[in-house]
Amino acid sequence: MDLTPDNPKYSKEMAYQIINTGRYASLERIQTVADTMSEYFSDQEIEKMICLTNEKYDTRIRQYESGEKQWDTDVLLTMVIRGIK
């Protein structure tokens, strides 16, 4: 799928949605780790990761607004399971 915020075919609003969707997905993954593996990470480490993630996406928005092209990419693995019972 072509969902790069800097692609000129997307409106400014759509570009922000694309960037912030990445933010929310990243924050959700951090929260999942915090909820399922809390014995491995302190609250301070989780908060630091949340802070760094927000900084990353805030910087990306500033870059978009200033016209600095990034052409971000994400690779998602999709597994399809098929069978007959």
Side-chain angles (χ1 to χ4, degrees):
M1 282 182 102
D2 175 15
L3 288 173
T4 302
D6 292 311
N7 191 326
K9 75 179 184 180
Y10 293 121
S11 68
K12 187 174 185 176
E13 292 77 22
M14 181 64 170
Y16 285 128
Q17 288 177 353
I18 293 168
I19 294 167
N20 282 317
T21 296
R23 177 195 309 262
Y24 300 137
S26 296
L27 292 172
E28 186 174 292
R29 287 189 293 265
I30 294 167
Q31 191 59 52
T32 298
V33 168
D35 293 343
T36 61
M37 302 170 60
S38 60
E39 66 273 13
Y40 296 105
F41 303 98
S42 69
D43 290 343
Q44 293 82 12
E45 289 172 314
I46 296 296
E47 286 301 318
K48 179 71 172 177
M49 287 305 302
I50 290 169
C51 182
L52 291 171
T53 298
N54 280 316
E55 285 178 17
K56 171 186 172 179
Y57 287 98
D58 290 345
T59 297
R60 181 61 184 99
I61 287 173
R62 283 192 301 276
Q63 290 170 324
Y64 175 80
E65 290 172 344
S66 71
E68 184 179 335
K69 305 280 189 217
Q70 292 296 311
W71 294 96
D72 324 58
T73 58
D74 280 323
V75 177
L76 303 173
L77 177 62
T78 303
M79 297 175 61
V80 177
I81 301 172
R82 181 173 169 229
I84 300 173
K85 182 174 178 180

